[in-house]
Amino acid sequence: MTLNPATGALEIDPLLDDPATRIVVCCGSGGVGKTTTAAALGLRAAERGRKVVVLTIDPARRLAQSMGIDSLDNVPRRVKGVEATGDAAGGELHAMMLDMKRTFDEIVEAHADGERAEAILNNPFYQSLSAGFAGTQEYMAMEKLGQLRARDTWDLIVVDTPPSRSALDFLDAPKRLGSFLDGKLIRVLMAPAKVGGRAGMKFLNVGMSMMTGALGKLLGGQLLRDVQTFVAAMDTMFGGFRTRADATYKLLQAPGTAFLVVAAPERDALREAAYFVERLAAERMPLAGLVLNRVHGSGADRLSAERALAAAENLDERRIVDQTPGKEEVRTPPEPDPESASEPVSESDQPSEPVSDPASGSPAAAENPAHLSTEQLTAGLLRLHAERMRLVAREQRTRDRFTALHPEVAVAEIAALPGDVHDLAGLRDIGDRLAAGGTPAGAE
């Protein structure tokens, strides 16, 4: 774990610069920013001199957009505009997006002769299995990781794990697929093919008629025949699937691998992050630390929510007292813009109904913000600040609960940004924030 002992902060640059670090796996629940984090880490490592490939399993294709690539596929693509300078010269960034079915097809083509491979690829059951069987995406991500590492082309592989219902699916996929291949149903379907010829037919007719009859009613006769044909063709490959899955699992346990758990400062996301930290420890997989994404902060945190609300109420009371007949402030409406005065105003441009101003509650004031007094505007801003401070406090309490449960886990924080990251400059900004992530976000 790359931990600063003085602050308990996660130190990103030493992790990325260490030549012994060959794989970084970004994991966590869905919607917490794993893809952006993985891309930012890859970019930062490349610009610090490493030859990096980022493997994403994100169907939203945000990674391609942010890297200026028209599209990503199952082949690593060089990212332009990434240059390492000085002592870091030689760095490169490549990116790819997992094509689940194509990866499965490549495995079949690599481990079966031409005739058998064609029979498997054209089998209807295989086509359904390779396109959407539960756990196939996670298993193929593991397969692709193993392929990339075996090629030894890149100094560093950064993996963005699948947007699964549970972050644990990535680790469980090999076991689930292995259980499927070793399951009783598969063994039953393989038995006739293994016996073969007339003996096989006799065995099927005598010992299996009731079983296959029931399965035929449940699955349909054609589907059952497709499954049996698929199993017969894949029989010699099943052991290879399990062997490669075991090898990749051991690769994830190796010292050159580092897991980064990515989470948002929210109760559910950090609860799953805590569960994942415990699971990684149980599986003896190396955890580098926690990336806490989209953390809110305030540059005026000395003003508490309570004091801000009290000040807003005082301003409201003063305004109510001052707005008596004879004390109302007279305002001159602004001069009309001569260029826009002649333009007709469409009905859609007119407000359908007055909207209340949060500071005053006055529909008339909200219709024309120019008529808001300084006190009203200030009261509104104070209430917004109070809202922000409550959010900051809630996020801090959530983080404190996680830290109390796992004080050994190094943490890096990334401040919440006003918009989405959509280019290399945005990814560099995220990388800079990650590198300085031991200090809380500071901008409102």
Side-chain angles (χ1 to χ4, degrees), residues 32-48:
V32 296
K34 294 192 302 292
T35 300
T36 302
T37 301
L41 288 168
L43 176 61
R44 190 170 184 85
E47 293 187 331
R48 295 176 70 86

Side-chain angles (χ1 to χ4, degrees), residues 46-49 83-91:
E47 293 187 331
R48 295 176 70 86
E83 296 181 359
T85 58
D87 294 338

Side-chain angles (χ1 to χ4, degrees), residues 167-219:
L168 301 178
D169 289 347
F170 184 69
L171 295 179
D172 289 333
K175 292 180 181 178
R176 286 206 311 274
L177 191 61
S179 298
F180 168 72
L181 298 178
D182 285 329
K184 291 182 179 179
L185 174 61
I186 294 297
R187 291 179 181 275
V188 165
L189 295 172
M190 285 174 64
K194 284 188 172 182
V195 174
R198 292 183 178 179
M201 290 301 297
K202 182 179 180 181
F203 175 79
L204 178 63
N205 289 334
V206 175
M208 304 291 291
S209 57
M210 293 183 63
M211 174 67 76
T212 55
L215 288 173
K217 290 179 182 178
L218 179 65
L219 303 176

Side-chain angles (χ1 to χ4, degrees), residues 39-375:
L41 288 168
L43 176 61
R44 190 170 184 85
E47 293 187 331
R48 295 176 70 86
R50 303 201 67 180
K51 193 172 181 181
V52 186
V53 60
V54 178
L55 168 64
T56 184
I57 303 94
D58 180 24
R61 302 180 186 271
R62 290 190 303 271
L63 182 62
Q65 180 186 10
S66 65
M67 292 184 171
I69 300 175
D70 291 336
S71 63
L72 293 177
D73 54 22
N74 221 35
V75 178
R77 305 288 179 186
R78 177 82 178 265
V79 178
K80 298 178 181 178
V82 178
E83 296 181 359
T85 58
D87 294 338
E92 295 179 9
L93 178 61
H94 300 250
M96 62 182 296
M97 187 172 73
L98 178 73
D99 184 329
M100 179 175 64
K101 187 178 188 314
R102 184 61 206 144
T103 301
F104 212 149
D105 291 349
E106 289 172 355
I107 296 169
V108 172
E109 291 165 353
H111 296 90
D113 57 55
E115 186 177 343
R116 179 168 293 196
E118 184 178 358
I120 295 171
L121 295 176
N122 293 329
N123 183 276
F125 179 74
Y126 166 78
Q127 292 172 357
S128 298
L129 174 71
S130 60
F133 185 77
T136 304
Q137 186 182 51
E138 290 81 3
Y139 178 82
M140 290 305 146
M142 299 277 275
E143 280 276 358
K144 182 56 69 176
L145 172 60
Q147 291 174 11
L148 292 172
R149 185 66 182 86
R151 287 167 62 181
D152 206 27
T153 304
W154 294 276
D155 299 334
L156 179 65
I157 303 168
V158 181
V159 183
D160 163 35
T161 54
S164 308
R165 176 187 56 81
S166 168
L168 301 178
D169 289 347
F170 184 69
L171 295 179
D172 289 333
K175 292 180 181 178
R176 286 206 311 274
L177 191 61
S179 298
F180 168 72
L181 298 178
D182 285 329
K184 291 182 179 179
L185 174 61
I186 294 297
R187 291 179 181 275
V188 165
L189 295 172
M190 285 174 64
K194 284 188 172 182
V195 174
R198 292 183 178 179
M201 290 301 297
K202 182 179 180 181
F203 175 79
L204 178 63
N205 289 334
V206 175
M208 304 291 291
S209 57
M210 293 183 63
M211 174 67 76
T212 55
L215 288 173
K217 290 179 182 178
L218 179 65
L219 303 176
Q222 183 59 49
L223 177 57
L224 180 58
R225 284 190 292 274
D226 290 340
V227 173
Q228 288 176 319
T229 304
F230 163 77
V231 169
M234 289 283 287
D235 183 21
T236 58
M237 294 182 58
F238 287 162
F241 276 105
R242 286 187 291 272
T243 300
R244 288 191 303 279
D246 291 342
T248 305
Y249 205 75
K250 290 178 181 176
L251 183 64
L252 293 175
Q253 294 175 315
T257 299
F259 279 84
L260 286 174
V261 178
V262 184
E266 300 165 1
R267 184 177 59 183
D268 291 343
L270 277 174
R271 182 186 294 122
E272 187 150 2
Y275 186 29
F276 202 91
V277 165
E278 293 163 7
R279 172 67 186 277
L280 288 172
E283 299 288 342
R284 301 192 307 279
M285 292 188 175
L287 172 66
L290 171 74
V291 174
L292 201 56
N293 201 12
R294 301 171 189 154
V295 176
H296 293 88
S298 172
D301 53 7
R302 287 178 295 178
L303 178 60
S304 67
E306 292 73 19
R307 288 178 61 196
L309 285 175
E313 290 171 3
N314 287 338
L315 287 171
D316 282 344
E317 290 173 3
R318 282 180 54 195
R319 183 173 52 79
I320 292 170
V321 171
D322 290 345
Q323 285 182 350
T324 56
K327 289 191 177 182
E328 290 181 350
E329 184 178 349
V330 179
R331 296 176 178 83
T332 305
E335 292 292 332
D337 184 350
E339 292 184 5
S340 61
S342 60
E343 296 179 4
V345 179
S346 66
E347 291 183 5
S348 61
D349 292 331
Q350 297 289 350
S352 57
E353 60 183 43
V355 181
S356 295
D357 169 54
S360 66
S362 166
E367 285 180 16
N368 192 347
H371 287 177
L372 289 174
S373 68
T374 302
E375 288 84 355

